[in-house]
């Protein structure tokens, strides 16, 4: 049985190249219980390897907090937030974006 796709809208911005931020939409196969991070992993591994985000090879437990972002406009951990349908993923603050969902921290 084929799974339904959801639309994942992702904030994209590379200050070294782009003049303005933009959003890109991706169609991702939906699986019950998938996190926002799972959707980003699918996009990176199957659709667009230029996407920049904090991947969790060692955490994915909500401990490190590096993947904090906005999910449908609300702050949360991308690795711990279960998505149930179309979703928009953004950095916590567009003012400190290094690239896409990766932000400068510690200042």
């Amino acid at each position: 049985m084929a799974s339904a796709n959801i639309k994942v809208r992702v904030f994209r911005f590379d200050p070294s190249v782009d003049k303005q931020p933009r959003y890109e939409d991706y169609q991702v196969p939906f699986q019950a219980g998938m996190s926002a991070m799972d959707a980003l992993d699918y996009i990176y591994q199957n659709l667009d390897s230029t996407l920049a985000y904090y991947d969790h090879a060692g955490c994915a437990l909500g401990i490190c907090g590096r993947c904090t972002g906005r999910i449908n406009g609300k702050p949360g951990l991308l690795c711990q937030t279960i998505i149930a349908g179309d979703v928009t993923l953004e950095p916590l603050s567009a003012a400190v974006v290094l690239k896409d969902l990766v932000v400068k921290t510690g200042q």
Side-chain angles (χ1 to χ4, degrees), residues 12-59:
R12 303 297 307 263
F13 184 48
D14 182 349
S16 69
V17 178
D18 302 323
K19 292 183 180 186
Q20 296 289 327
R22 66 186 191 289
Y23 288 86
E24 285 195 33
D25 295 339
Y26 301 93
Q27 294 295 315
V28 174
F30 177 73
Q31 295 182 357
M34 74 185 302
S35 69
M37 183 67 69
D38 292 334
L40 290 173
D41 287 343
Y42 180 86
I43 292 167
Y44 182 80
Q45 294 168 6
N46 298 286
L47 303 173
D48 186 349
S49 63
T50 67
L51 177 63
Y53 64 105
Y54 288 112
D55 190 15
H56 285 75
C59 179

Side-chain angles (χ1 to χ4, degrees), residues 61-96:
L61 300 171
I63 296 170
C64 72
R66 292 187 62 130
C67 67
T68 302
R70 289 191 307 168
I71 302 109
N72 288 334
K74 296 181 180 178
L77 296 173
L78 298 169
C79 70
Q80 296 297 301
T81 302
I82 303 300
I83 57 176
D86 295 347
V87 66
T88 299
L89 304 176
E90 304 167 293
L92 203 53
S93 170
V96 291

